Amino acid sequence: MEFEQAWLDYTKKASCKGSEDIKYICVKTRGEEQDELIKNGILELQRAFAGILGIELTVCQNLGEGHGICLTLTEGIQTEAYHVYENKGEITIEASDSKGILYGAFELIRQVRIGNPLGGLDLFKAPKMPMRMLNHWDNMDGSIERGYSGESFFFKQDRILVDERTVTYARLTASVGINAVVINNVNVKDAATWLITERYLDKVKELSDIFAGYGIKLYMSLNYAAPIELGELDSADPLSEDVRGWWKRQMELVFNRVPNLGGFLIKADSEGRPGPFTYGRTHADGANMLAEAAAPYGGKIIWRCFVYNCQQDWRDYKTDRARSGYDNFKGLDGEFLDNVILQIKNGPMDFQVREPVHPLFGGMTQTNQMLEVQIAQEYTGQQRHLCYLIPMFKEVLKFRTYVQEQDDTVEDIVSGRTFGQHNCGMAAVANTGDDANWTGHDMAAANWYGFGRLAFEPELSAEEIAKEWIRLTFGIDKQVEETLLFMLMTSWKAYEEYTSPLGIGWMVNPNYHYGPSVDGYEYSRWGTYHRADHMGIGVDRSREGTGYALLYNEPNASVYDDKEKCPDELLLFFHHIPYTWKLKSGKTVIQHIYDTHFDGVDMVDEMVERFMKLEGILPQKPYLRMVERFTHQKEHAREWRDQINAYFYRKSGISDEKGREIY
Ligand code: GCW
């Protein structure tokens, strides 16, 4: 399958002030051999300078009188950090480790391509989050769970693929500072259970070596019941000596064969996957068993907190899926070994367009934590609608948990500032596939790019990240930049407006989760209800209801618990509210529903209208691909608007004040 270079396309020429005299590139190590990372850094710079500036960089021992770039390994800089600066026309990329050098090389290329002059360049950057990870939900048959951009490029027909595309993937991923990748789906079944056996380890090693050359640790998802499913034991009880011994031997095998392996990601006791509950054991028992076996090799166990009862009866008003992560894990705080990291979704439900922040952030104080977000847009338009998610992720990171007076935001927690942890960070469920443009929607690549940039430098604004991505992908052009920036920055808001209102979420078609169906999940077992009747809508999660609101630290708990104080955008998540209730905006709930749905569609129309003016300015291929997606988004946004408005008009019997057409 053909593939493009996304934001690393060096075929577009550019000029860069201060680059004119650069001819050479040299490396100064502290005596050690140049490793793959440094070699890849040099290659990348050579490729970029040749492609963009027409400069062939010659490798030399010492720069001497010629101007050039010097990669310098030095002491005293934090690992993975880099200092890129200009002095008398010479550019230095300084770091303590070769990963920092590689990141510095990508930084220099970025600076050149976004049009910054090299004279006076002086950037010192250190990643804020230790782990910056992608989780691929790729299955070994080549399909991708919740994948919207083609098939897997890691697997096909139960084989592991290693080819040119793998290398380009690693370059793209490393260029934004991502340093860990889980290659297979968290739902580990069939052939994927065998990934940790001789059957696949040679290929896993090949893949992990390519990744290692770009500073990426390869991780795999594990099947908790592997000892049984591989036919070796009849139990997976984490306290059984046989089972513990089995995992120790298996880990020894895997880490010896794949020394660059980072560790494992596990989804246990969730949505039908096996786990320690079967044996009456806790998640700490399960995670620690694996962690103990992986520890001698420096392996990490990333254990997901997405554990809930997916067999709920809709008549049951007491069980609350939103509580489940907290209820299952809070009591285990402090019981996990140091190489275990709990991975927590950004919200308590499941990647909806709007959710409160997961209460485990700020709930646990003695456990390594990692934030899980999803760029695959499962519930936010499936890469057919434009939905730039970096503004949402920024809100999550900035959320104050009040776990202590200072350094209490989600960002502080997952950066390790709050509790002094080093096993923490951020993971995104990936949005890539084997489509030529990698992400189906060309503009969905901004989420991949943006996720990495944000995890490395969370202080960057969503606009800054978007601008970088636009320039790197489409070159420097004022109209292109203004248009695409407007579209990216409007898109999340627009999507929220024309889909489910005020934080309630869902209202999608069951199973594939695309398109409006207000009652799609209303009578199902998944615990995802809106509870609308003819009087009102929303789930009572206050102290009178499920009590979920009280899981937060003060003052958050009191704010969410109180209808009057709860922010509008989350009101229906926390409270059951009459349609005639006045929001802080001054509108009634029902009028808000009508207005936002009409406005959301208008926003899409405006985005698309502006986009169409880029015909002949953007390269034709991506332009046409996007026209197709935007045409669909326009229509589909109308479908959302009309279904939601008609449903609530019919339920409430209250007309739109503005008399617009409701079907
Ligand atoms: O978002 C839901 C998805 C499932 C997914 C699950 C999870 C991988 O609908 O497809 O399974 O969450 O996060 O484990």
Side-chain angles (χ1 to χ4, degrees):
M1 283 280 259
E2 156 217 16
F3 61 91
E4 297 165 8
Q5 299 291 318
W7 60 86
L8 291 185
D9 182 354
Y10 301 145
T11 59
K12 292 186 194 75
K13 297 270 171 274
S15 63
C16 171
K17 272 209 196 107
S19 68
E20 302 78 10
D21 294 333
I22 291 181
K23 295 187 190 69
Y24 300 102
I25 184 162
C26 81
V27 181
K28 286 187 193 152
T29 65
R30 292 154 301 198
E32 63 269 60
E33 286 273 295
Q34 288 180 27
D35 63 8
E36 284 305 304
L37 290 125
I38 295 189
K39 288 182 196 153
N40 284 334
I42 296 174
L43 264 177
E44 200 68 34
L45 284 162
Q46 287 179 318
R47 206 165 163 167
F49 273 65
I52 310 158
L53 302 167
I55 295 173
E56 302 295 335
L57 290 174
T58 311
V59 180
C60 67
Q61 293 304 323
N62 241 313
L63 285 182
E65 67 274 22
H67 285 295
I69 303 169
C70 191
L71 313 182
T72 312
L73 275 172
T74 144
E75 308 288 335
I77 298 179
Q78 178 192 326
T79 45
E80 298 188 312
Y82 55 83
H83 188 190
V84 180
Y85 59 91
E86 179 269 349
N87 184 22
K88 299 193 188 123
E90 182 177 317
I91 308 291
T92 304
I93 300 178
E94 221 169 50
S96 279
D97 59 336
S98 51
K99 213 199 278 191
I101 297 282
L102 178 72
Y103 288 161
F106 278 117
E107 176 73 70
L108 177 59
I109 295 168
R110 182 159 54 232
Q111 291 300 317
V112 168
R113 298 183 64 218
I114 61 181
N116 287 346
L118 297 184
L121 185 69
D122 188 10
L123 290 169
F124 183 84
K125 303 274 173 176
K128 288 281 147 40
M129 299 188 200
M131 295 192 66
R132 307 173 298 278
M133 181 181 236
L134 283 175
N135 290 179
H136 289 268
W137 286 355
D138 292 27
N139 299 316
M140 293 202 68
D141 63 2
S143 63
I144 302 178
E145 182 152 348
R146 314 303 174 188
Y148 311 106
S149 34
E151 299 270 288
S152 173
F153 48 78
F154 290 132
F155 308 110
K156 194 187 173 111
Q157 293 169 342
D158 292 348
R159 284 180 299 114
I160 298 179
L161 306 174
V162 182
D163 53 29
E164 261 314 295
R165 188 164 192 145
T166 325
V167 179
T168 304
Y169 167 81
R171 289 174 49 230
L172 284 162
T173 299
S175 75
V176 290
I178 291 165
N179 62 4
V181 167
V182 184
I183 55 171
N184 64 308
N185 188 359
V186 287
N187 290 322
V188 187
K189 296 175 193 165
D190 310 318
T193 305
W194 294 82
L195 275 171
I196 53 169
T197 68
E198 290 290 356
R199 192 187 286 180
Y200 290 113
L201 289 178
D202 283 342
K203 271 291 182 192
V204 174
K205 166 144 194 331
E206 229 183 284
L207 196 54
S208 83
D209 286 346
I210 291 180
F211 281 8
Y214 287 92
I216 301 165
K217 283 265 184 208
L218 185 147
Y219 283 71
M220 291 188 278
S221 294
L222 265 193
N223 184 338
Y224 182 81
I228 306 174
E229 289 183 34
L230 294 175
E232 303 198 6
L233 300 179
D234 52 14
S235 164
D237 181 349
L239 299 190
S240 138
E241 281 312 315
D242 284 352
V243 176
R244 298 172 79 81
W246 188 89
W247 278 113
K248 283 194 178 134
R249 287 191 301 280
Q250 209 63 27
M251 292 286 181
E252 185 183 356
L253 170 76
V254 178
F255 280 100
N256 281 337
R257 296 289 298 279
V258 190
N260 284 320
L261 191 73
F264 298 95
L265 173 66
I266 296 105
K267 169 175 179 176
D269 290 314
S270 169
E271 301 183 332
R273 302 315 301 144
F277 284 168
T278 310
Y279 309 94
R281 312 297 185 198
T282 70
H283 280 244
D285 295 331
N288 289 343
M289 166 187 67
L290 297 172
E292 213 180 287
Y297 318 97
K300 296 187 207 286
I301 298 298
I302 303 172
W303 191 272
R304 295 176 85 229
C305 292
F306 185 61
V307 178
Y308 68 99
N309 168 12
C310 61
Q311 300 289 344
Q312 198 180 329
D313 187 314
W314 62 269
R315 279 159 288 234
D316 169 4
Y317 277 70
K318 280 287 155 223
T319 307
D320 182 2
R321 170 164 165 183
R323 289 193 62 114
S324 59
Y326 188 96
D327 289 344
N328 276 304
F329 285 91
K330 164 75 182 169
L332 300 175
D333 192 15
E335 287 185 25
F336 294 92
L337 293 177
D338 189 50
N339 58 332
V340 177
I341 307 173
L342 294 193
Q343 186 167 295
I344 306 162
K345 288 192 182 184
N346 62 276
M349 297 300 276
D350 198 5
F351 304 135
Q352 302 302 295
V353 68
R354 173 76 65 177
E355 286 188 42
V357 164
H358 204 299
L360 275 176
F361 292 113
M364 289 186 302
T365 59
Q366 299 159 72
T367 303
N368 297 323
Q369 295 159 62
M370 191 145 137
L371 168 66
E372 177 179 328
V373 295
Q374 194 197 49
I375 52 177
Q377 290 181 250
E378 175 180 358
Y379 294 96
T380 48
Q382 302 195 351
Q383 295 164 235
R384 299 180 78 190
H385 292 232
L386 176 62
C387 192
Y388 177 54
L389 292 163
I390 306 307
M392 182 210 281
F393 302 163
K394 283 202 68 92
E395 281 193 20
V396 173
L397 289 173
K398 278 197 208 124
F399 179 76
R400 291 198 64 184
T401 68
Y402 297 100
V403 65
Q404 56 186 36
E405 241 173 78
Q406 281 179 329
D407 294 336
D408 67 335
T409 63
V410 173
E411 183 193 320
D412 292 323
I413 294 172
V414 300
S415 306
R417 283 194 288 275
T418 314
F419 306 120
Q421 287 153 347
H422 54 278
N423 277 334
C424 50
M426 189 170 173
V429 177
N431 62 355
T432 52
D434 71 354
D435 278 357
N437 65 359
W438 299 84
T439 51
H441 199 311
D442 286 78
M443 288 177 81
N447 284 327
W448 179 13
Y449 179 87
F451 162 71
R453 295 289 289 129
L454 184 70
F456 200 94
E457 272 185 73
E459 58 276 14
L460 288 171
S461 71
E463 287 92 338
E464 285 171 313
I465 294 175
K467 268 195 205 161
E468 281 182 10
W469 176 79
I470 296 166
R471 289 189 175 197
L472 296 175
T473 308
F474 297 109
I476 301 176
D477 178 297
K478 198 157 175 268
Q479 190 186 347
V480 170
E481 186 163 314
E482 276 173 14
T483 307
L484 299 187
L485 188 63
F486 167 79
M487 294 174 71
L488 288 167
M489 294 307 297
T490 310
S491 58
W492 174 42
K493 175 92 179 130
Y495 195 83
E496 182 175 19
E497 302 254 292
Y498 63 76
T499 60
S500 76
L502 298 165
I504 192 71
W506 310 95
M507 303 192 176
V508 289
N509 284 299
N511 308 321
Y512 62 101
H513 300 165
Y514 192 67
S517 171
V518 180
D519 284 338
Y521 274 101
E522 199 52 22
Y523 304 97
S524 73
R525 58 195 174 88
W526 295 94
T528 50
Y529 313 114
H530 56 64
R531 306 283 190 208
D533 56 24
H534 69 293
M535 299 292 290
I537 173 176
V539 181
D540 186 357
R541 294 190 162 103
S542 72
R543 69 182 68 226
E544 279 100 52
T546 71
Y548 168 84
L550 305 180
L551 303 182
Y552 291 87
N553 296 320
E554 289 296 359
N556 290 337
S558 314
V559 168
Y560 289 146
D561 189 47
D562 182 346
K563 289 189 189 48
E564 305 276 353
K565 292 192 193 140
C566 182
D568 281 353
E569 71 270 14
L570 288 171
L571 190 61
L572 302 184
F573 189 94
F574 284 101
H575 298 280
H576 188 82
I577 298 283
Y579 294 115
T580 50
W581 173 273
K582 274 246 164 62
L583 296 170
K584 295 196 184 52
S585 66
K587 288 180 186 174
T588 59
V589 167
I590 190 72
Q591 194 55 41
H592 171 94
I593 293 179
Y594 297 147
D595 286 353
T596 48
H597 284 77
F598 285 107
D599 290 352
V601 169
D602 290 348
M603 285 158 94
V604 174
D605 287 354
E606 187 177 351
M607 291 198 289
V608 179
E609 201 185 304
R610 293 205 198 180
F611 180 78
M612 294 300 189
K613 298 201 181 112
L614 298 180
E615 184 173 10
I617 301 175
L618 285 180
Q620 203 186 19
K621 230 193 209 172
Y623 175 78
L624 290 178
R625 280 193 301 238
M626 286 188 271
V627 166
E628 204 192 309
R629 304 235 164 199
F630 287 130
T631 309
H632 167 74
Q633 186 176 358
K634 267 183 83 150
E635 268 171 36
H636 203 233
R638 285 173 165 71
E639 193 182 327
W640 268 102
R641 175 195 67 193
D642 294 337
Q643 283 214 29
I644 302 263
N645 282 348
Y647 181 98
F648 288 102
Y649 173 53
R650 166 96 187 246
K651 273 257 144 109
S652 68
I654 303 172
S655 309
D656 171 31
E657 279 170 5
K658 298 180 190 153
R660 289 162 293 195
E661 183 160 36
I662 292 178
Y663 294 94

